[in-house]
Amino acid sequence: MKFRSDPSAIRGSIAPVVTPFTDEGAVDHDSLRNLIRFQLESGSHGISLGGSTGEPSAQTVAERIAAMRTAVEEIGDRVPFLPGTGSHKLNETLELTAAAQELGADAALVITPYYARPTQEALYEWYARVAREFPDLPIVAYNVPSRTAVDIAPETVKRLFTDFDNFVGVKETTKDFEHFSRVLHACGRSLLVWSGIELLCLPLLALGGAGFVSAVANLAPGAVARMYELWEAGDFDGARDLHYRLHPLVDLLFVETNPAPAKWVLAQQGRIASPHVRPPLITPTAPGLTRIRALLAEGGDLTQQLATQQNGADK
């Protein structure tokens, strides 16, 4: 809750951690705690849980709330906590957002309702309802048209940003980089915009973005955090170097459907107990694993805690 009163402080690399499961498919809270500790030790600037990488649509509302509770207990007020609280059902979205507020989340990340393909006016009404219901909680829209089949338009974001003081930003997970620019142009630089597309994280900073919610932070949290810090420090060549060095790990994430490849790597590293993903996802196939191993051999050096090491060297 420390950052709730000043959402502009929610910047940098906000790591969207996977939701670990046991081999039998139950939420593994011990592994979740371990992942969050890994993120904090590696220098991530914030934690998100329950976005696409967290398999929220395969969990019950009760499971998602319990996972948020575990995350809050582990994070405390050390970094901002930005849980995903959206669903394709309004009642579930309101229940999850209420739980996030009560547990002390710093903001709520609310995905556009998927499958139904609402109009822009319907999207406005959806987010307006959430914003009105929780006036003291910063609300961040999560735009991911590849998964939801709907794209929240810059003009709709502007309406929400103008009409509601607690509508503070948007996580843009679209490969249309022009869209990023149009959102910021429509709303102004005070709108907080994070990239959810790994290879657009660094370019967004040049437009005035607040940072990124990048799935590759599950594997290389230190490197992703350091990329932001180098950019902010004016070391653009250093930031670009990390951007390109992260390419193999970015490709690894999407060898098969995210988060299955990331979970397999994390299990191999002993950070989670099992690579289990819930249906309709499956663990990586044999051909997929061949490709994952090759990409890990190419970019695996960045899975070390780079930010911690370098920050220590800077002192």
Tab-separated table of all heavy atoms in Angstrom, residues 244-275:
chain	number	residue	atom	x	y	z
A	244	TYR	N	19.611	-6.409	-26.718
A	244	TYR	CA	19.941	-7.404	-27.733
A	244	TYR	C	20.392	-8.725	-27.119
A	244	TYR	O	20.114	-9.802	-27.670
A	244	TYR	CB	20.999	-6.846	-28.688
A	244	TYR	CG	20.444	-5.774	-29.599
A	244	TYR	CD1	20.888	-4.451	-29.505
A	244	TYR	CD2	19.448	-6.064	-30.527
A	244	TYR	CE1	20.362	-3.465	-30.318
A	244	TYR	CE2	18.921	-5.084	-31.348
A	244	TYR	CZ	19.384	-3.787	-31.243
A	244	TYR	OH	18.852	-2.810	-32.047
A	245	ARG	N	21.053	-8.667	-26.003
A	245	ARG	CA	21.472	-9.910	-25.343
A	245	ARG	C	20.280	-10.706	-24.816
A	245	ARG	O	20.369	-11.923	-24.644
A	245	ARG	CB	22.440	-9.590	-24.196
A	245	ARG	CG	23.825	-9.138	-24.657
A	245	ARG	CD	24.675	-8.692	-23.487
A	245	ARG	NE	24.909	-9.784	-22.540
A	245	ARG	CZ	25.333	-9.610	-21.292
A	245	ARG	NH1	25.550	-8.380	-20.832
A	245	ARG	NH2	25.546	-10.652	-20.511
A	246	LEU	N	19.169	-10.031	-24.572
A	246	LEU	CA	17.964	-10.712	-24.090
A	246	LEU	C	17.190	-11.426	-25.193
A	246	LEU	O	16.291	-12.235	-24.909
A	246	LEU	CB	17.038	-9.713	-23.389
A	246	LEU	CG	17.445	-9.315	-21.964
A	246	LEU	CD1	16.705	-8.057	-21.539
A	246	LEU	CD2	17.170	-10.450	-20.985
A	247	HIS	N	17.509	-11.163	-26.456
A	247	HIS	CA	16.768	-11.752	-27.571
A	247	HIS	C	16.586	-13.265	-27.460
A	247	HIS	O	15.459	-13.763	-27.658
A	247	HIS	CB	17.433	-11.392	-28.899
A	247	HIS	CG	16.876	-10.173	-29.552
A	247	HIS	ND1	16.217	-10.180	-30.762
A	247	HIS	CD2	16.880	-8.873	-29.153
A	247	HIS	CE1	15.849	-8.962	-31.083
A	247	HIS	NE2	16.241	-8.149	-30.120
A	248	PRO	N	17.630	-14.055	-27.181
A	248	PRO	CA	17.424	-15.511	-27.111
A	248	PRO	C	16.419	-15.916	-26.044
A	248	PRO	O	15.628	-16.847	-26.257
A	248	PRO	CB	18.830	-16.060	-26.796
A	248	PRO	CG	19.772	-15.003	-27.259
A	248	PRO	CD	19.064	-13.705	-27.017
A	249	LEU	N	16.436	-15.246	-24.896
A	249	LEU	CA	15.492	-15.589	-23.832
A	249	LEU	C	14.073	-15.166	-24.205
A	249	LEU	O	13.105	-15.840	-23.843
A	249	LEU	CB	15.915	-14.942	-22.515
A	249	LEU	CG	17.240	-15.438	-21.931
A	249	LEU	CD1	17.540	-14.732	-20.609
A	249	LEU	CD2	17.232	-16.950	-21.734
A	250	VAL	N	13.952	-14.061	-24.924
A	250	VAL	CA	12.631	-13.651	-25.406
A	250	VAL	C	12.087	-14.715	-26.361
A	250	VAL	O	10.931	-15.143	-26.255
A	250	VAL	CB	12.703	-12.278	-26.100
A	250	VAL	CG1	11.373	-11.948	-26.772
A	250	VAL	CG2	13.089	-11.198	-25.099
A	251	ASP	N	12.923	-15.168	-27.282
A	251	ASP	CA	12.485	-16.208	-28.214
A	251	ASP	C	12.148	-17.496	-27.481
A	251	ASP	O	11.200	-18.203	-27.840
A	251	ASP	CB	13.583	-16.470	-29.248
A	251	ASP	CG	13.791	-15.300	-30.193
A	251	ASP	OD1	12.897	-14.428	-30.280
A	251	ASP	OD2	14.850	-15.240	-30.845
A	252	LEU	N	12.905	-17.805	-26.444
A	252	LEU	CA	12.656	-19.001	-25.643
A	252	LEU	C	11.244	-18.992	-25.053
A	252	LEU	O	10.546	-20.008	-25.042
A	252	LEU	CB	13.706	-19.101	-24.535
A	252	LEU	CG	13.716	-20.306	-23.595
A	252	LEU	CD1	15.093	-20.450	-22.949
A	252	LEU	CD2	12.669	-20.221	-22.489
A	253	LEU	N	10.819	-17.845	-24.555
A	253	LEU	CA	9.508	-17.739	-23.904
A	253	LEU	C	8.369	-18.191	-24.799
A	253	LEU	O	7.350	-18.697	-24.313
A	253	LEU	CB	9.236	-16.284	-23.501
A	253	LEU	CG	10.034	-15.672	-22.364
A	253	LEU	CD1	9.641	-14.212	-22.215
A	253	LEU	CD2	9.799	-16.420	-21.066
A	254	PHE	N	8.535	-18.006	-26.116
A	254	PHE	CA	7.425	-18.213	-27.035
A	254	PHE	C	7.672	-19.365	-28.010
A	254	PHE	O	7.013	-19.450	-29.044
A	254	PHE	CB	7.127	-16.903	-27.778
A	254	PHE	CG	6.840	-15.762	-26.833
A	254	PHE	CD1	7.782	-14.763	-26.614
A	254	PHE	CD2	5.655	-15.720	-26.114
A	254	PHE	CE1	7.539	-13.726	-25.715
A	254	PHE	CE2	5.394	-14.689	-25.214
A	254	PHE	CZ	6.338	-13.697	-25.025
A	255	VAL	N	8.612	-20.247	-27.640
A	255	VAL	CA	8.792	-21.464	-28.423
A	255	VAL	C	7.475	-22.235	-28.458
A	255	VAL	O	7.062	-22.770	-29.483
A	255	VAL	CB	9.918	-22.333	-27.836
A	255	VAL	CG1	9.908	-23.735	-28.432
A	255	VAL	CG2	11.284	-21.677	-28.092
A	256	GLU	N	6.837	-22.318	-27.311
A	256	GLU	CA	5.458	-22.798	-27.199
A	256	GLU	C	4.734	-21.808	-26.301
A	256	GLU	O	5.328	-20.843	-25.818
A	256	GLU	CB	5.424	-24.233	-26.688
A	256	GLU	CG	6.026	-25.200	-27.713
A	256	GLU	CD	5.990	-26.659	-27.314
A	256	GLU	OE1	5.368	-27.003	-26.285
A	256	GLU	OE2	6.600	-27.472	-28.043
A	257	THR	N	3.457	-22.011	-26.056
A	257	THR	CA	2.657	-20.970	-25.416
A	257	THR	C	3.190	-20.587	-24.042
A	257	THR	O	3.405	-21.444	-23.179
A	257	THR	CB	1.189	-21.421	-25.289
A	257	THR	OG1	0.713	-21.815	-26.578
A	257	THR	CG2	0.325	-20.286	-24.765
A	258	ASN	N	3.437	-19.292	-23.864
A	258	ASN	CA	3.819	-18.729	-22.572
A	258	ASN	C	2.697	-19.008	-21.561
A	258	ASN	O	1.519	-18.819	-21.885
A	258	ASN	CB	4.019	-17.220	-22.752
A	258	ASN	CG	4.334	-16.493	-21.472
A	258	ASN	OD1	5.222	-16.863	-20.746
A	258	ASN	ND2	3.576	-15.432	-21.199
A	259	PRO	N	3.020	-19.484	-20.343
A	259	PRO	CA	4.329	-19.546	-19.685
A	259	PRO	C	4.973	-20.927	-19.637
A	259	PRO	O	5.859	-21.158	-18.799
A	259	PRO	CB	3.981	-19.109	-18.269
A	259	PRO	CG	2.649	-19.755	-18.024
A	259	PRO	CD	1.925	-19.666	-19.345
A	260	ALA	N	4.560	-21.871	-20.487
A	260	ALA	CA	5.094	-23.230	-20.384
A	260	ALA	C	6.621	-23.290	-20.501
A	260	ALA	O	7.277	-23.949	-19.686
A	260	ALA	CB	4.424	-24.133	-21.414
A	261	PRO	N	7.244	-22.610	-21.486
A	261	PRO	CA	8.707	-22.674	-21.554
A	261	PRO	C	9.389	-22.067	-20.326
A	261	PRO	O	10.368	-22.628	-19.813
A	261	PRO	CB	9.033	-21.881	-22.819
A	261	PRO	CG	7.798	-21.997	-23.660
A	261	PRO	CD	6.677	-21.929	-22.671
A	262	ALA	N	8.880	-20.938	-19.849
A	262	ALA	CA	9.482	-20.299	-18.675
A	262	ALA	C	9.374	-21.197	-17.457
A	262	ALA	O	10.331	-21.326	-16.673
A	262	ALA	CB	8.813	-18.956	-18.393
A	263	LYS	N	8.241	-21.841	-17.279
A	263	LYS	CA	8.072	-22.728	-16.128
A	263	LYS	C	9.026	-23.917	-16.200
A	263	LYS	O	9.559	-24.363	-15.176
A	263	LYS	CB	6.622	-23.212	-16.045
A	263	LYS	CG	5.667	-22.209	-15.422
A	263	LYS	CD	4.322	-22.855	-15.144
A	263	LYS	CE	3.542	-22.076	-14.110
A	263	LYS	NZ	2.270	-22.723	-13.761
A	264	TRP	N	9.244	-24.428	-17.393
A	264	TRP	CA	10.183	-25.552	-17.531
A	264	TRP	C	11.581	-25.122	-17.104
A	264	TRP	O	12.268	-25.846	-16.369
A	264	TRP	CB	10.194	-26.049	-18.981
A	264	TRP	CG	11.078	-27.257	-19.153
A	264	TRP	CD1	10.744	-28.564	-18.958
A	264	TRP	CD2	12.462	-27.252	-19.536
A	264	TRP	NE1	11.836	-29.374	-19.183
A	264	TRP	CE2	12.900	-28.593	-19.543
A	264	TRP	CE3	13.375	-26.252	-19.865
A	264	TRP	CZ2	14.209	-28.951	-19.877
A	264	TRP	CZ3	14.672	-26.603	-20.193
A	264	TRP	CH2	15.088	-27.938	-20.192
A	265	VAL	N	12.018	-23.937	-17.561
A	265	VAL	CA	13.353	-23.452	-17.179
A	265	VAL	C	13.432	-23.223	-15.677
A	265	VAL	O	14.405	-23.622	-15.021
A	265	VAL	CB	13.699	-22.158	-17.954
A	265	VAL	CG1	15.015	-21.564	-17.435
A	265	VAL	CG2	13.804	-22.443	-19.451
A	266	LEU	N	12.431	-22.584	-15.105
A	266	LEU	CA	12.437	-22.302	-13.665
A	266	LEU	C	12.474	-23.592	-12.847
A	266	LEU	O	13.133	-23.654	-11.802
A	266	LEU	CB	11.216	-21.466	-13.289
A	266	LEU	CG	11.228	-20.022	-13.794
A	266	LEU	CD1	9.848	-19.387	-13.624
A	266	LEU	CD2	12.287	-19.195	-13.070
A	267	ALA	N	11.779	-24.622	-13.321
A	267	ALA	CA	11.821	-25.910	-12.621
A	267	ALA	C	13.207	-26.547	-12.738
A	267	ALA	O	13.719	-27.119	-11.767
A	267	ALA	CB	10.758	-26.847	-13.188
A	268	GLN	N	13.816	-26.442	-13.916
A	268	GLN	CA	15.167	-26.975	-14.091
A	268	GLN	C	16.169	-26.271	-13.176
A	268	GLN	O	17.117	-26.877	-12.690
A	268	GLN	CB	15.609	-26.819	-15.555
A	268	GLN	CG	14.844	-27.677	-16.539
A	268	GLN	CD	15.084	-29.161	-16.326
A	268	GLN	OE1	16.220	-29.626	-16.321
A	268	GLN	NE2	14.009	-29.917	-16.126
A	269	GLN	N	15.940	-25.004	-12.927
A	269	GLN	CA	16.831	-24.223	-12.067
A	269	GLN	C	16.524	-24.413	-10.586
A	269	GLN	O	17.246	-23.876	-9.741
A	269	GLN	CB	16.721	-22.733	-12.422
A	269	GLN	CG	17.225	-22.405	-13.825
A	269	GLN	CD	16.970	-20.959	-14.209
A	269	GLN	OE1	16.068	-20.306	-13.678
A	269	GLN	NE2	17.765	-20.441	-15.129
A	270	GLY	N	15.456	-25.128	-10.270
A	270	GLY	CA	15.083	-25.358	-8.878
A	270	GLY	C	14.365	-24.199	-8.229
A	270	GLY	O	14.195	-24.176	-7.008
A	271	ARG	N	13.888	-23.246	-9.034
A	271	ARG	CA	13.189	-22.093	-8.454
A	271	ARG	C	11.724	-22.401	-8.186
A	271	ARG	O	11.093	-21.756	-7.353
A	271	ARG	CB	13.328	-20.883	-9.375
A	271	ARG	CG	14.782	-20.501	-9.633
A	271	ARG	CD	14.917	-19.098	-10.163
A	271	ARG	NE	16.294	-18.827	-10.555
A	271	ARG	CZ	17.265	-18.521	-9.701
A	271	ARG	NH1	17.007	-18.470	-8.407
A	271	ARG	NH2	18.495	-18.289	-10.139
A	272	ILE	N	11.164	-23.352	-8.920
A	272	ILE	CA	9.831	-23.860	-8.634
A	272	ILE	C	9.911	-25.385	-8.629
A	272	ILE	O	10.829	-25.974	-9.218
A	272	ILE	CB	8.773	-23.370	-9.647
A	272	ILE	CG1	9.116	-23.795	-11.078
A	272	ILE	CG2	8.629	-21.861	-9.570
A	272	ILE	CD1	8.053	-23.385	-12.108
A	273	ALA	N	8.956	-26.017	-7.961
A	273	ALA	CA	9.037	-27.465	-7.771
A	273	ALA	C	8.593	-28.255	-8.993
A	273	ALA	O	8.971	-29.416	-9.154
A	273	ALA	CB	8.197	-27.873	-6.559
A	274	SER	N	7.793	-27.647	-9.856
A	274	SER	CA	7.226	-28.379	-10.990
A	274	SER	C	7.010	-27.441	-12.165
A	274	SER	O	6.667	-26.263	-11.968
A	274	SER	CB	5.886	-29.014	-10.587
A	274	SER	OG	5.212	-29.537	-11.720
A	275	PRO	N	7.158	-27.942	-13.403
A	275	PRO	CA	6.860	-27.122	-14.585
A	275	PRO	C	5.394	-27.177	-14.990
A	275	PRO	O	5.033	-26.683	-16.066
A	275	PRO	CB	7.733	-27.772	-15.661
A	275	PRO	CG	7.739	-29.229	-15.294
A	275	PRO	CD	7.749	-29.254	-13.772
